[in-house]
């Protein structure tokens, strides 16, 4: 069955045979048939398999059945191989353009019917929207052609091969090919036919392609948000297809073009512009006698003016995310319902932009982006990151032999999606070095689409792109990029090149690596975007974790990451780096992001509040402003804030309501901006912005926070005594309020976060970092995970107990002295812990706290109520989503199920904590501020930091019979060191003396 059409897997040609030119993905009334569904399937371990399966009469009764679209490694419970995760590494030898003989190859077959009335079709086209990686196609034993470009659409002309009635299509898919060298994106390698397959009857006199380019003249407004629009139509059709009619009913447009030469731009009045905030779309049709194309048109003008990126004349700030296509069971197979909910969730969390990392998504996703409203950076299917290992030697990006493959990829990207108003920037690809082929791609885009700029982060010197873009630039570096008058050289730039790049809009195409617990520091970047107009925001890496649903040996479901499928090379859990967990649960980082980028700002000033609308173009007429007053977290009053509509970019001042200030409780005012009516992405009342004001009475410090009563009658003893509800043996606590409790034990260790485990780059790090060494390694070096205690002394009085402990680790002279004083103060049990490190500590600490163990008894501790910051976990550089209030949660809900277990669950600024068992209050703890007014935080978990640190997956933690309460005087920040800056020095925890004071009573 071989022929001159048959490619070798090492062929770098983008396609052969009856492959048709790229065109738009259109909604047409031309006849079509989906070929999705069950296909016969056979997997072979190599590419050297006979091609007899494509022959007429071949019997495939013994083959398996597999759904199309799907990835074969996600079907059959491992019968067809397993997924492979790499970030940069190639999972095969770097020998371009060759790949190994061990090359899994899937053969697909299915029958399909061609109706008799299709005999009038001018052409029959077979369309594949996504196949990984190289595939070949036969119809009725005739080899049609081949193509590569996994996330790109390919159409084949099969007119001469099909027949009325029964037909057979056969497809051979190779997992590895030359194309794999330019598809080295940070994601799972998932072979197969994973997007739609469609058979299309192209009618004589039909429309081959349509591009409705639109503009909006923001300078010629007509009032009420209306203005002048312009439609420039590009109709690809034979002259015999004319006349062609354009209809936009809502604008009264019905334009008939009698011949191709008559197609000229059309001016339209009374147009409402499209934006990500108000995504106004107009239904349009382009029709001939034989075919009608349906489109949704949005009017907007994209331009770069100086160093500003503008849409409809207004500066755009991208509060964006990098979005891969990923699902824990389907991989990159598109599910529209799931995708719509995913985008609606983005809107609910104030995300306004998407970078389609690092390939075009399923085309329907862009329909949804048009409809719901997003600024989209549409990226080409291109990445050659693995060549970085070779210092980019052999990189296809600068090899002329690969130029046509590169150009084919950008053509298919632009042509397929050119009609979408949401797309405001074209991106050439990602992490592919630089070179002449990328420059050629950019030149093609500039010639083809003058209305959108070109982005590519790897063009550091700005030779062929319109936007200056960087990944993971630190806060100081980002400020140097944004500030006028700075002359420091930019990365890989000469002074002259640096000056040129500073004349362009700047984007952080990736920042704030959201891996595990983190990142910290969103607000620092946002502050720079507010201060320097050249900085246009950026795209968090990334939107969601890529976990694949798997089953542990004991049957427990979990989300697998790199290495869980026995890969030869892999990059571990680096694929779990999203603000959304694999099971669609938002992480605290997503809530933090929402709070930092909220589109309405509140600034309190006396009895007034200034409300600033930070949106691009929408006013606040769609919002209500609600206020409430709480005393120690309990609501006492609420109402609407009276304020006039605030235009985009403007501010209004409003009077605050009368506030009843409590004498013996904290008084907090909270203002929320909520949706006044439901939207396609959120219900009425959804909160988009919030702010709090502490209105508490300024009063003398109450008695409970006064100094502990001094005692002069300390005397040595064995430490076996009772103090109120506390019982001690040998100076150590063993019961509280009649239940078993041990502690407090000094806790300096936390289960390292992914950021903690990431090596330092030695640049702009927290404190005393060592290049190439992680903070977690330094903590283990210093023995923070294996501290031991030596009791130095035990003393007591009639109503107090004092112990002094020296805490240190094996093979270390470093130590911490811990003085614990239990006393009865005005009849209440108080604990004061003084923590003082020795000299010589050389690194930051993860935490400074005390650890209590609460073994299960008849009433296990399984929840908490608290007054403090909440409701989610908080850390020094991740506090913006928190508010002061009264909250409650079960112990399992206090932690986040990160894919790799790590530090989680800390709540800051604690005032009062009640431990519960079911609905019963067990213990109540009042946290007193230290002499500098600093309040502790708490963590309540069913596992110790050491148990959590040893687990690779949540299921490995197992069951526990003990709850663990850690009260922290301080915690180290989170940072973004997995891929980006370390914890900012302000939020780094240095070894230092701290005090913890608690009042404890029975529940």
């Amino acid at each position: 069955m071989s022929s001159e059409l048959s490619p070798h897997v090492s062929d770098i040609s983008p396609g052969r045979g009856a492959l048709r030119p790229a065109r738009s993905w259109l909604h047409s009334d031309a006849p079509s048939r989906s070929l999705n569904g069950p296909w016969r399937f056979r997997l072979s371990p190599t590419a050297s398999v006979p091609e007899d399966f494509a022959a007429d009469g071949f019997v495939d009764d013994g083959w398996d059945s597999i759904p199309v679209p799907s990835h074969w490694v996600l079907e059959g419970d491992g019968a067809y191989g397993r997924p492979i995760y790499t970030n940069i590494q190639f999972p095969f030898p770097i020998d371009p353009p060759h790949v190994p003989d061990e090359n899994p190859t899937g053969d697909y077959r299915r029958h399909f019917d061609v109706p008799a009335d299709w005999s009038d079709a001018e052409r029959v086209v077979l369309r594949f929207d996504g196949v990984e990686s190289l595939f070949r196609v036969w119809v009725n034993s005739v080899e049609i052609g081949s193509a590569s470009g996994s996330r790109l659409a390919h159409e084949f002309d099969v007119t001469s091969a099909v027949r009325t009635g029964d037909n057979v299509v056969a497809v051979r898919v190779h997992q590895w090919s030359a194309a794999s060298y330019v598809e080295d994106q940070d994601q799972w390698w998932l072979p197969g036919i994973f997007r739609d397959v469609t058979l299309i009857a192209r009618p004589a006199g039909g429309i081959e392609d349509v591009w409705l380019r639109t503009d909006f003249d923001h300078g010629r407004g007509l009032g009420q948000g209306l203005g002048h629009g312009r439609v420039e139509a590009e109709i690809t059709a034979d002259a015999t297809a004319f006349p062609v009619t354009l209809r936009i009913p809502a604008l009264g447009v019905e334009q008939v073009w009698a011949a191709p030469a008559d197609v000229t731009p059309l001016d339209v009045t009374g147009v409402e512009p499209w934006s990500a905030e108000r995504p106004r779309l107009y239904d349009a049709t382009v029709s001939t006698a034989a075919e009608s194309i349906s489109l949704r048109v949005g009017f907007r003008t994209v331009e770069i003016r100086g160093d500003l990126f503008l849409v409809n004349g207004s500066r755009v700030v991208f509060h964006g995310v990098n979005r891969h296509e990923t699902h824990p069971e389907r991989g990159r197979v598109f599910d529209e319902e799931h995708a719509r909910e995913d985008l609606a969730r983005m809107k609910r969390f104030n995300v306004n932009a998407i970078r389609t990392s690092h390939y075009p998504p399923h085309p329907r996703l862009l329909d949804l982006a048009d409809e719901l409203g997003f600024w989209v950076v549409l990226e080409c299917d291109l990445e050659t990151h693995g060549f970085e290992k070779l210092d980019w030697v052999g990189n296809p990006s600068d090899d002329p032999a690969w130029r046509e493959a590169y150009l084919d990829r950008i053509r298919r990207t632009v042509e397929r999606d050119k009609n979408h108003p949401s797309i405001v920037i074209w991106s050439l690809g990602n992490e592919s070095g630089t070179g002449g082929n990328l420059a050629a791609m950019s030149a093609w885009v500039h010639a083809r689409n003058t209305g959108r700029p070109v982005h590519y982060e790897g063009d550091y010197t700005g030779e062929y792109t319109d936007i200056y873009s960087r990944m993971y630039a630190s806060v100081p570096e980002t400020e140097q990029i944004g500030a006028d008058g700075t002359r420091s050289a930019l990365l890989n730039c000469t002074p002259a090149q640096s000056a040129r790049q500073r004349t362009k809009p700047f984007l952080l195409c990736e920042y704030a690596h959201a891996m595990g617990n983190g990142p910290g520091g969103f607000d620092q970047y946002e502050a720079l975007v507010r201060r320097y107009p050249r900085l246009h925001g950026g795209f968090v890496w990334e939107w969601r974790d890529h976990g694949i649903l798997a089953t542990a040996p004991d049957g427990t479901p979990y989300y697998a990451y790199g290495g869980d499928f026995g890969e030869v090379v892999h990059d571990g859990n680096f694929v779990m780096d999203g603000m959304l967990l694999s099971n669609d649960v938002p992480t605290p980082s997503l809530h933090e992001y929402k709070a930092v980028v909220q589109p309405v700002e509140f600034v309190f000033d006396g009895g007034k509040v200034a409300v600033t609308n930070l949106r691009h173009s929408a006013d606040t007429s769609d919002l209500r402003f609600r206020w409430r007053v709480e005393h120690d977290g309990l609501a006492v009053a609420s109402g609407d804030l009276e304020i006039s509509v605030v235009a985009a970019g403007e501010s209004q001042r409003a009077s605050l309501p009368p506030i009843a200030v409590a004498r013996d409780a904290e008084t907090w005012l909270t203002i929320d901006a909520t949706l006044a009516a439901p939207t396609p992405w959120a219900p009425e009342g959804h909160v988009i912005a919030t702010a709090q004001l502490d209105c508490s009475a300024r009063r003398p410090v109450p008695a409970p926070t006064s100094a502990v009563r001094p005692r002069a009658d300390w005397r040595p003893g064995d430490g076996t005594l009772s103090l109120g509800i506390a019982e001690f043996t040998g100076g150590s606590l063993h019961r509280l309020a009649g239940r078993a409790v041990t502690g407090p034990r000094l806790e300096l260790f936390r289960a390292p976060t992914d950021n903690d485990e990431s090596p330092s780059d030695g640049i702009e790090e927290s404190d005393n970092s060592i290049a190439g060494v992680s903070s977690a390694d330094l903590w283990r070096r210093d023995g923070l995970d294996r501290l031991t205690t030596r009791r130095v002394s035990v003393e007591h009085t009639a109503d107090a107990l004092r112990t002094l402990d020296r805490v240190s680790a094996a093979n270390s002279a470093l130590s911490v002295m811990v003085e614990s004083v239990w006393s009865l103060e005005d009849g209440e049990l108080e604990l004061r812990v003084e923590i003082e490190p020795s000299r010589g500590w050389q690194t930051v600490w993860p935490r400074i706290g005390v650890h209590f163990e609460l073994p299960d008894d008849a009433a296990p501790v399984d929840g908490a109520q608290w007054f403090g910051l909440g409701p989610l976990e908080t850390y020094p550089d991740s506090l913006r989503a928190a508010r002061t209030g009264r909250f409650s949660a079960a112990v399992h809900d206090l932690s986040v199920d990160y894919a790799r277990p790590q530090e989680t669950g800390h709540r800051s600024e604690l005032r009062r904590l009640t431990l519960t068992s079911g609905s019963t209050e067990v213990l109540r703890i009042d946290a007193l501020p230290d002499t500098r007014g600093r309040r502790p935080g708490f963590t309540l978990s069913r596992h110790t930091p050491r148990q959590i640190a040893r687990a690779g997956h949540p299921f490995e933690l197992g069951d526990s019979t003990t709850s663990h309460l850690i009260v922290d005087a301080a915690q180290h920040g989170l940072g973004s060191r997995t891929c980006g800056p370390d914890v900012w020095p302000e939020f780094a925890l240095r070894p230092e003396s701290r005090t913890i004071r608690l009042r404890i009573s029975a529940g």
Side-chain angles (χ1 to χ4, degrees):
M1 298 299 300
S2 62
S3 75
E4 69 278 2
L5 298 180
S6 302
H8 188 269
V9 289
S10 299
D11 186 0
I12 64 175
S13 167
R16 295 182 181 274
L19 186 62
R20 306 186 70 243
R23 66 186 184 112
S24 300
W25 191 82
L26 297 170
H27 300 275
S28 167
D29 65 357
S32 67
R33 292 208 162 183
S34 171
L35 299 190
N36 293 352
W39 288 51
R40 307 297 281 178
F41 181 73
R42 174 185 70 184
L43 183 67
S44 303
T46 73
S48 301
V49 187
E51 298 167 3
D52 56 344
F53 81 107
D56 269 337
F58 181 85
V59 178
D60 57 18
D61 292 349
W63 287 23
D64 296 336
S65 178
I66 196 171
V68 170
S70 72
H71 304 281
W72 69 63
V73 292
L74 297 183
E75 300 294 323
D77 195 22
Y80 312 120
R82 291 294 193 181
I84 298 170
Y85 166 61
T86 63
N87 170 27
I88 300 172
Q89 305 178 83
F90 286 117
F92 44 78
I94 306 175
D95 181 26
H98 307 291
V99 294
D101 294 338
E102 294 85 358
N103 185 358
T105 295
D107 290 332
Y108 295 78
R109 283 173 54 90
R110 73 156 288 167
H111 289 257
F112 65 91
D113 184 69
V114 172
D117 59 6
W118 279 28
S119 59
D120 295 333
E122 184 177 65
R123 285 184 308 279
V124 178
V125 172
L126 182 60
R127 182 182 181 97
F128 294 84
D129 281 304
V131 183
E132 183 175 330
S133 119
L134 169 68
F135 69 106
R136 299 165 58 190
V137 181
W138 293 261
V139 173
N140 296 327
S141 78
V142 176
E143 185 167 8
I144 302 299
S146 64
S148 60
S150 297
R151 271 69 65 175
L152 304 170
H154 298 90
E155 291 184 335
F156 297 91
D157 189 335
V158 297
T159 310
S160 62
V162 296
R163 58 198 176 216
T164 299
D166 184 58
N167 296 259
V168 176
V169 57
V171 182
R172 170 160 289 178
V173 181
H174 301 290
Q175 175 158 14
W176 310 122
S177 69
S180 303
Y181 285 100
V182 295
E183 294 180 359
D184 189 30
Q185 291 96 336
D186 176 9
Q187 60 179 354
W188 295 97
W189 298 87
L190 299 173
I193 306 174
F194 68 94
R195 286 186 184 156
D196 306 300
V197 182
T198 310
L199 193 69
I200 305 166
R202 299 293 309 130
I207 302 169
E208 181 65 15
D209 202 359
V210 172
W211 187 6
L212 298 183
R213 292 191 290 271
T214 62
D215 288 305
F216 180 77
D217 188 346
H218 56 275
R220 299 169 63 197
L222 302 175
Q224 299 180 335
L226 303 180
H228 290 261
R230 185 176 176 87
V231 181
E232 186 176 345
E234 179 181 288
I235 311 294
T236 305
D238 290 339
T240 56
F242 282 76
V244 173
T245 303
L246 168 65
R247 294 182 178 88
I248 310 177
L251 294 174
V253 172
E254 182 163 347
Q255 175 68 46
V256 179
W257 294 301
D262 297 334
V263 181
T264 55
L266 183 67
D267 290 323
V268 187
T269 60
V271 171
E272 182 180 349
W274 184 97
S275 74
E277 294 165 354
R278 290 185 172 166
R280 178 65 165 100
L281 294 172
Y282 292 92
D283 290 329
T285 58
V286 178
S287 305
T288 69
E291 182 179 17
S292 182
I293 303 293
S294 300
L295 303 92
R296 293 189 298 181
V297 174
F299 291 83
R300 88 285 179 276
T301 296
V302 178
E303 62 179 322
I304 291 176
R305 190 184 304 160
D307 60 0
L308 297 180
F309 178 88
L310 310 175
V311 175
N312 297 334
S314 297
R315 171 178 174 254
V316 173
V317 175
F318 294 89
H319 292 137
V321 295
N322 282 274
R323 180 193 180 274
H324 268 290
E325 290 197 306
T326 182
H327 185 276
E329 295 174 84
R330 296 185 294 272
R332 283 187 285 279
V333 175
F334 184 73
D335 180 291
E336 183 164 332
E337 181 180 352
H338 186 260
R340 180 181 287 274
E341 174 53 29
D342 224 23
L343 267 59
R345 186 181 292 111
M346 289 182 190
K347 297 285 285 189
R348 292 195 294 271
F349 281 90
N350 291 334
V351 173
N352 72 2
I354 298 169
R355 178 180 177 225
T356 68
S357 54
H358 299 290
Y359 44 82
H362 189 284
R364 273 293 291 159
L365 185 98
L366 298 167
D367 286 343
L368 299 179
D370 294 341
E371 173 188 324
L372 294 173
F374 290 92
W375 312 115
V376 173
V377 177
L378 198 287
E379 197 144 84
C380 184
D381 188 6
L382 177 66
E383 182 165 340
T384 68
H385 206 168
F387 286 94
E388 184 180 52
K389 180 183 179 70
L390 309 181
D391 198 25
W392 299 105
V393 173
N395 181 20
S397 295
D398 204 31
D399 183 345
W402 288 81
R403 181 156 300 180
E404 182 53 35
Y406 273 57
L407 288 171
D408 181 75
R409 285 173 180 265
I410 195 64
R411 289 188 201 110
R412 293 188 180 278
T413 297
V414 172
E415 297 295 356
R416 192 197 74 169
D417 297 328
K418 55 186 178 283
N419 280 294
H420 292 282
S422 57
I423 298 173
V424 293
I425 297 172
W426 297 115
S427 180
L428 303 179
N430 185 68
E431 292 175 321
S432 297
T434 190
N437 294 337
L438 287 156
M441 294 169 72
S442 179
W444 183 89
V445 177
H446 281 113
R448 181 69 176 123
N449 185 192
T450 58
R452 296 178 176 109
V454 173
H455 164 275
Y456 174 65
E457 186 266 349
D459 180 27
Y460 294 119
T461 61
E463 297 298 322
Y464 48 85
T465 49
D466 306 304
I467 293 166
Y468 183 37
S469 177
R470 287 285 307 285
M471 296 180 181
Y472 308 108
S474 67
V475 171
E477 186 182 7
T478 303
E479 183 165 23
Q480 290 178 353
I481 294 168
D484 288 331
T486 54
R487 297 185 178 180
S488 59
L490 301 177
L491 181 69
N492 294 336
C493 288
T494 66
Q497 291 166 339
S498 299
R500 178 174 64 186
Q501 289 294 68
R502 285 192 173 96
T503 67
K504 298 178 180 179
F506 177 74
L507 267 185
L508 282 163
C509 66
E510 294 179 21
Y511 82 112
H513 196 255
M515 185 174 177
N517 189 348
F522 280 132
D523 52 350
Q524 293 175 278
Y525 287 98
E526 184 66 13
L528 295 180
V529 172
R530 301 270 189 92
R531 191 178 311 146
Y532 303 112
R534 180 181 306 141
L535 307 181
H536 286 73
F539 298 81
V540 175
W541 188 268
E542 63 175 299
W543 170 240
R544 64 158 61 237
D545 285 358
H546 296 219
I548 292 178
L549 189 62
T551 304
D554 66 355
T556 302
Y558 73 101
Y559 293 99
Y561 49 73
D564 287 337
F565 297 108
E567 299 101 310
V568 175
V569 296
H570 63 84
D571 287 298
N573 70 317
F574 206 71
V575 76
M576 309 297 247
D577 47 12
M579 294 191 291
L580 197 69
L581 299 180
S582 300
N583 61 354
D584 297 342
V585 173
T587 66
S589 70
L590 185 52
H591 289 268
E592 180 77 0
Y593 185 75
K594 174 186 177 181
V596 168
V597 305
Q598 63 186 29
V600 177
E601 180 183 57
F602 302 95
V603 176
F604 298 101
D605 181 15
K608 300 280 188 178
V609 60
V611 179
T612 302
N613 179 2
L614 300 172
R615 291 164 154 181
H616 170 264
S617 49
D619 62 28
T620 61
S621 58
D622 60 331
L623 302 179
R624 286 180 67 192
F625 295 92
R626 299 279 298 169
W627 62 265
R628 65 182 179 278
V629 174
E630 295 170 325
H631 292 165
D632 276 358
L634 298 176
V636 296
S638 63
D640 289 333
L641 185 70
E642 296 300 326
I643 186 168
S644 57
V645 172
V646 185
E650 301 295 329
S651 297
Q652 297 280 352
R653 286 167 61 85
S655 296
L656 295 176
I659 298 172
V661 177
R663 296 185 59 186
D664 299 317
E666 293 186 39
T667 300
W668 286 86
L669 169 69
T670 303
I671 298 179
D672 293 325
T674 68
L675 292 178
T679 70
W681 46 269
E684 178 184 349
H686 169 75
V687 176
I688 70 161
T690 192
Q692 275 195 316
L693 176 66
D694 186 356
C695 302
S696 303
R698 301 297 175 238
R699 55 190 184 278
V701 177
T705 58
S706 60
V708 176
R709 177 163 50 91
R711 290 173 172 80
D713 54 346
W714 292 108
R715 60 185 184 275
D718 65 1
T720 299
L721 72 162
S722 295
L723 291 174
I725 63 170
E727 301 175 38
F728 302 88
T729 301
S732 297
L733 177 70
H734 70 92
R735 295 190 76 79
L736 266 176
R739 65 178 299 125
V741 179
T742 60
R745 185 180 73 248
L746 178 68
E747 188 65 85
L748 301 180
F749 185 67
R750 72 185 186 191
T753 66
D754 290 307
N755 290 315
D756 295 337
E757 289 283 15
S758 295
S760 164
D761 62 9
I763 302 172
E764 295 173 342
E765 300 291 332
S766 291
D767 285 68
N768 301 306
S769 58
I770 301 173
V773 179
S774 71
S775 294
D777 285 337
L778 297 176
W779 299 340
R780 288 185 284 258
R781 178 201 68 182
D782 290 346
L784 300 189
D785 60 336
R786 48 184 173 83
L787 295 174
T788 60
T789 301
R790 177 173 64 83
R791 179 64 47 85
V792 175
S793 64
V794 180
E795 298 176 303
H796 64 85
T797 69
D799 58 359
L801 171 69
R802 179 170 69 183
T803 61
L804 184 64
D805 297 320
R806 184 181 188 274
V807 181
S808 55
N811 199 37
S812 175
L814 301 172
S815 64
V816 181
M817 298 304 296
V818 181
E819 180 190 52
S820 301
V821 177
W822 293 89
S823 61
L824 292 175
E825 307 290 339
D826 302 322
E828 288 189 287
L829 180 67
E830 179 166 319
L831 167 65
R832 189 190 84 240
V833 182
E834 300 286 353
I835 300 165
E836 184 176 353
S838 67
R839 295 183 178 180
W841 293 94
Q842 294 296 311
T843 186
V844 295
W845 277 353
R847 72 185 335 144
I848 302 174
V850 291
H851 185 161
F852 297 88
E853 294 186 359
L854 301 98
D856 288 354
D857 56 15
V861 171
D862 59 10
Q865 301 167 357
W866 73 98
F867 176 43
L869 289 187
L872 303 174
E873 62 186 29
T874 50
Y875 293 84
D877 52 357
S878 185
L879 291 167
R880 293 283 291 277
R883 57 183 174 85
T884 300
R886 192 178 293 255
F887 309 98
S888 64
V891 63
H892 296 294
D893 294 330
L894 288 166
S895 301
V896 178
D897 280 333
Y898 295 112
R900 184 189 69 80
Q902 56 195 274
E903 163 65 29
T904 177
H906 178 75
R907 268 73 177 174
S908 309
E909 296 288 328
L910 180 65
R911 279 80 159 166
R912 173 171 290 179
L913 171 66
T914 301
L915 303 180
T916 59
S917 178
S919 59
T920 302
E921 296 183 357
V922 174
L923 287 171
R924 187 169 65 231
I925 300 171
D926 287 291
L928 310 181
D930 66 11
T931 56
R932 292 173 55 183
R934 297 174 297 188
R935 296 183 183 273
F938 82 96
T939 304
L940 182 65
S941 172
R942 295 293 284 176
H943 299 92
T944 70
R946 279 149 293 280
Q947 290 170 336
I948 296 169
R950 287 193 294 267
H953 302 85
F955 73 84
E956 296 173 32
L957 286 168
D959 295 328
S960 171
T961 58
T962 302
S963 290
H964 300 270
L965 171 66
I966 302 175
V967 178
D968 286 316
Q971 273 256 1
H972 186 52
L974 299 174
S976 184
R977 200 199 256 185
T978 50
C979 196
D982 195 9
V983 175
W984 189 247
E986 178 184 349
F987 307 114
L989 178 59
R990 301 161 184 85
E992 61 186 31
S993 298
R994 285 285 191 149
T995 300
I996 296 174
R997 289 183 65 193
L998 308 173
R999 289 279 176 95
I1000 305 173
S1001 57

